[in-house]
Every structure is written in structure tokens, then in C-alpha cells.
Amino acid sequence: MTPWMRWLHKWVGLLIGLQFVLWMASGLMMGLLPHDKVQGHEFRAHAPAPRAWPADVLAAGEVLKQAGSAQVIVSGWLLDRPVYQALDGKRQRLFDARTGRAVVIDRELARALAVASYSGPGKPQTPILLDWTQEVRDHQARSWRVDFDDAQDTTVYLSAQTGEVLEHRNSTWRLFDVFWMLHIMDYANRSNFNNPLVIGAGIGGLWLALTGVWLLVASFHLREFVPQRWRRARELTVYAPNGSKLRTVKAAAGDSVYVALARNGLQLPSNCGGGQSCGLCEVRYRGVPPAPTAADRAHLSESKLKIGHRLACNLPLDADMEVEVAGGASLWTEHEATVERVSAVTPFLREIVLKPAQPPGPEYQPGAYLQVHVPDYELPCDRIVRPDEHHGDWAALDLPDTLSNREAVRRSYSLSLPIDATDGRLTLLARFSPGRQDRKRQPPGKGSTYLYTLQPGDRVNFSGPFGDFAIRPNAREKVFIGGGAGMAPLRAMIHSLLSQGAQERIHYWYGARVLRDAPYVDEMASLAQRNANFSWHLVLSEAAECDDALVRGLVHEAAHDRLLKDHPALLDCDFYLCGPPAMLAATRQLLHRLGVPDEQVAFDDFKI
Ligand SMILES: Cc1cc2nc3c(=O)[nH]c(=O)nc-3n(C[C@H](O)[C@H](O)[C@H](O)COP(=O)(O)OP(=O)(O)OC[C@H]3O[C@@H](n4cnc5c(N)ncnc54)[C@H](O)[C@@H]3O)c2cc1C
Ligand code: FES
């Protein structure tokens, strides 16, 4: 449950976090704005001193009779005029206390009343009669608005029934009112603190706090609070996949297998540094494995979990343990190679040929990958050589002037040709990760940038080979489906099969956006011409560039419609998949729907 809870926590956290920022910022701003101005006191004239009620006025009872249905009558002053105010429910009327005549608050009177309540330097503008206004939202009847041309843009509001001064509003209050709206989240009326948005945000905040505590507790193990030297010593024995014992290392109880091996100089493949997110640090538990965790399930197939595969960074050494590690002894070894050739196959796919210092052995199988040790670097952008025909593509990227990587990292790259076809050279096919230079400011990828800055003669360090993406030794019909940099391992596998004289049918479906992005098109076509059992299908998702000889659409859909849908013996085929995550997921789902068992589907997830 933890991964999806983390995911939800992150996104709810973003929403609630933004609202928290608004709450705090608006609260702070409301606190900073001068109270006197917000209240409209700055230019408010003092109330006149109480005056004696004159003797020459009508009795209240007489006026009450005239007012008809009035329930209450009160006396008061309207400027210099004594008046009676008759209240009848919500209706309020004014009567001159001397004549008993109804008093109407007209434009002139409204202006005079506003001027009397105002002490600032501004001149009054023509009063405007309003049915309702947000600036005196609690007053549900008509009101007069009188603007004054002072620095605060003061407006005086008066009741159109009684002439009572309702409010003095000004630009400070208006600013305050915007912050108030953001604070109470009542974007319509700016008055209701119990609105569904505030309640929802409150519940979201509480949920966030509780799940945060839960995630915090879940991410700690008690053993992490015990210093390493006080923990029991454990033995971790490492085997190669063929069962040969490689090494036994000492470790502290509670360390993960990944950390224990790293402390002993064995760096398992990893793109995430032990963060349970790349899925590369896979080992096989010898014996009865612990139940898989959510992170194991997220990265490893059901069939692998069944036979004891687990993520080493998520496998604690609670007791002495034995694990099998693909890559075996080579994990301890760092190799050196010299760059022999770099060539741009498409604008953003580059072939890099390395000559290793030591001749590579048989473990460099098609489908295997190397971990290139990417050093820290700071290089000018023009260090990336761009062939003339690709200048336009690169210009559109708007890369930073300096390409940099602050700390050494490792990145995985698959062999893209079998070593016996290249006289022991290691051929890689690297896709450039440009990042984004717009407002999102994602730097170009550290590893791919490094590979793109390499030039013949440069030295490269790497470890490996690793991985269990390999051709199964059988004569079953094979279907390869790929896209993007997934061309690399699939190409190596196909070359290897054909050069070894495989007789079974081999299909290769490769998807690209446009023809220009598809690597090795002529090479694949020529292989298909020379080998009757091999067929090559290029599928382009952008129709504009297609001619009739090319298949249009998404690669998995094209393979389904033209091959898999009507295949008479689908369950006798082996599948090899490698490509962008969305393509990989869609193809695996398709095969699952078609009833192809997991064991017949091998794939490599580059996560790019
Ligand atoms: C088994 C395996 C085999 C592989 N084989 C190949 C292969 O043959 N060919 C190939 O091209 N690739 C291959 N890959 C993928 C390769 O290992 C790298 O993942 C890929 O090259 C990207 O790495 P990078 O260092 O260039 O990018 P990273 O630095 O890892 O960045 C990845 C992306 O995140 C963005 N990013 C970086 N930093 C930030 C930041 N701070 N904030 C936001 N975004 C950021 C970058 O712009 C980039 O788009 C393979 C992967 C695996 C697991
Ligand atoms: S190191 Fe990346 S998942 Fe374990």
C-alpha cells in the first residue's frame, strides 16, 4: 500500500500545501495592513455631539399612525433635521419629525450625508444608486455610493432608505478583502467561513498529517536507531546465477543487502542509489524468501517474485543470508574502455563504440547492459558534436551553455550488437535526455549528456555486464516489439540469432514517431532481405511522414492487428519487449489480454 499512499500523499500534499501557503500569506498580509485604514476610520468624521430633541416636533404616535404598518419608531437626526425612523420588518422609512412628511434620500441628500461623514481631502463625485454591492455585502437593500478622489479612493456607502452611513471603503480595505477571500476560501460571497472548500481543505490537511505520520513510521525500522557497531554481525554469501559461490561478506544486522554489499565494495546496478525506485538492484534469495513488499511488486514480475527475486535495497539482513546476483564476479570489477567511434544514428540516438582494455568474455550476451560510471563534469555545450543534418533538431532544444554533473553516478546502457559481430567492441546506443529548459528547468540527463560529449580516444569506466534479459535457448517463433532506445538490446539479440543460423520465424516490430527518429532502418531491411525467416516492420505514429510502404499507428496495435490477432499458435511464441514505459505497459497488457503467459514475455524496462 505504501507506494500508492506515497503517491496520493504527494499530490494531496501539493494541493493542501498551496492552500497552506495562501492561508499563511493572506493571514500575514491581513496582519500587516494598517487596521485604521482597513476599518475605514482614516477619513471618518467624528459623530456630532448629542443634541437636545426639539420641542416643535410632532408626537411619535401621530407619525406612527401615518406610517401605517410600522412596528417600531425611533427618533434621530438627519444632518440638522429631526426625523422619525419607522421600522416594519425589513422596511425602514424616514419621516420629518416637524412636518410628518416622508423623507426621501435623493442624490443631493446622499452627497451631503457622505460629505458630513468624511474628513479627508477628497472631493465627492456624483452619488450612484446601487441595488447591491459586494463592498457592503451584508446590506441587502439599495444603497448610495459616493466616491471621493483622495489617495485612498475612499467610497462612502449610505442606506438609500435611511441615509445611515453604512461603511467607508478604501483601497487598503479592498486589498484586505482579496486576502480575506483567499483566507476563508469563499470565492463567491467572501463571507462564509463554513463553506465546503474550507471544510475540504481542513479534512485534507488532517488526512495529510495523519498519513505523513504513518509514512514516517513505515519508513523507519527500529534497527536504524541502533548504531551499526552495536548490531549483531551477519554473513551475506553471494552466488553467481550458475550456483558458484563468489564471496562471503560481513555485515551489520538490519542493513539492506544493497548497503551491505556496497560497504564491501560491491556496487549493485542502480539508477536510484538504493531508493527503491529504479528496480535494478535485483537479487535472488536462496531459501524461503520473505514476503515481497510493495516496492518488490512494483518492479518485479510475478514469475520472478515466485522464484525469490527481491530488490536488494529493500531486503534487510535480519539473519545470515545467501543471495544470487546476476552479473556475478563482474560486480566487483571496474573496467576501462577507450571510445573508438561515436556516430549519430538519428538526431537523438547515438552509437558509441568502446574498445575495452580487456577482451570481453562470453558473459557479454545480447540483452545484457553495462553500468557506465559517469564522472562529475562541467563542459561547454558545444562539446556535443552535432552533424550538419541534425543542427535544426538540436537548435530547438535550447540547451544551457554549460553541461554539468556535480557528483559521479552510474547509468545503464545495453549492448546493441553482439561482441562477436564487432571483434570484441562494445556497441551502445544512447538516447539523449534533453530535459526542459522552459520554466520547468529540468537539466539534461547526466548520463546521456556524458555519453554525447565523448569523443574518439576518451576513456570510459564501466562495470558489468548485468541483467537477465537474454535470448532463451529454444527454437520457438520469436516476436520482438520495441521503440526508442529499446532498439539496442533487441538489435543485438536479432543479430545474434540470425548470425547463429536460427531457423524459427523472427518478427521485429519497431515503433517511432517519424521516419527520421527510427534507427537502423536500412540495416534491418537488409537483414530481412537476406534472411527469409526474419521480417521487419517499422510503425510510425505520426501519419504525416508515412508513405504507403510503412505501417501507421502505435506499434503494439499494429503488431496485434497484423500478426497476433490471427496468429494460429500464439502460445508457442516467445516475446521480447523493450521501449518507452507507455509502449512497454501497453504491449504487456495486450499480451496478457491475448492469454500469453508471463513466462513467455521477456522485457527490459529502461524507464525512459
Ligand atoms: C537495464 C537498463 C538498460 C538501459 N539501456 C539503455 C540504452 O541502451 N540506451 C539508452 O539510451 N538508455 C538506456 N537505459 C536508460 C539509461 O540508463 C538512463 O536512464 C537514461 O540514459 C537517462 O539517464 P540520464 O542520466 O541521461 O538522465 P537522468 O539524469 O537520470 O535524468 C532523467 C530525466 O530526468 C530529468 N531530470 C534530471 N534532473 C532533474 C531534476 N533535478 N528535476 C527534474 N528533472 C530532472 C532529465 O532531464 C531527464 O529527462 C537503460 C536503463 C536500464 C534500466
Ligand atoms: S537501487 Fe534502485 S531499486 Fe534498489
Side-chain angles (χ1 to χ4, degrees), residues 204-325:
L206 183 64
W207 180 88
L208 201 64
L210 294 177
T211 52
V213 170
W214 184 72
L215 285 170
L216 189 70
V217 171
S219 65
F220 275 110
H221 294 286
L222 271 183
R223 56 182 174 267
E224 289 180 59
F225 294 97
V226 183
Q228 210 197 351
R229 62 177 178 282
W230 293 350
R231 285 189 247 147
R232 290 209 186 151
R234 298 288 182 219
E235 278 194 351
L236 173 64
T237 309
V238 184
Y239 290 82
N242 63 9
S244 60
K245 186 169 161 182
L246 296 172
R247 196 174 284 200
T248 299
V249 300
K250 293 262 184 252
D255 276 352
S256 68
V257 168
Y258 179 87
V259 169
L261 291 176
R263 287 196 211 282
N264 286 277
L266 189 156
Q267 180 67 58
L268 282 175
S270 161
N271 274 6
C272 71
Q276 300 176 18
S277 62
C278 72
L280 291 183
C281 61
E282 187 180 334
V283 294
R284 193 172 88 78
Y285 191 98
R286 284 166 68 105
V288 181
T293 64
D296 293 322
R297 288 190 185 287
H299 294 289
L300 305 173
S301 64
E302 200 54 43
S303 51
K304 281 191 168 179
L305 292 172
K306 264 194 212 145
I307 56 168
H309 285 250
R310 299 287 182 272
L311 295 182
C313 63
N314 191 28
L315 184 59
L317 262 174
D318 293 330
D320 291 350
M321 195 183 284
E322 296 184 347
V323 292
E324 272 174 25
V325 179

Side-chain angles (χ1 to χ4, degrees), residues 271 278 280 349 369-371 374 409-415 428-436 440-449 485-486 488-489 604-608:
N271 274 6
C278 72
L280 291 183
L349 280 173
Y369 65 93
L370 313 177
Q371 280 246 294
V374 180
V409 292
R410 295 179 180 208
R411 290 289 182 268
S412 313
Y413 294 93
S414 305
L415 293 177
L428 308 179
L429 178 70
R431 182 177 154 263
F432 187 67
S433 300
R436 294 182 64 164
K440 300 211 166 170
R441 290 191 178 279
Q442 293 174 4
K446 299 171 183 134
S448 59
T449 300
D604 216 2
D605 187 356
F606 289 4
K607 300 198 166 57
I608 54 166

Side-chain angles (χ1 to χ4, degrees), residues 335-365:
H335 307 283
E336 200 186 73
T338 308
V339 178
E340 210 170 68
R341 189 163 44 82
V342 179
S343 44
V345 185
T346 70
F348 301 117
L349 280 173
R350 210 157 267 199
E351 185 176 284
I352 295 137
V353 180
L354 303 175
K355 183 170 187 219
Q358 303 295 325
E363 66 278 14
Y364 286 74
Q365 287 295 316

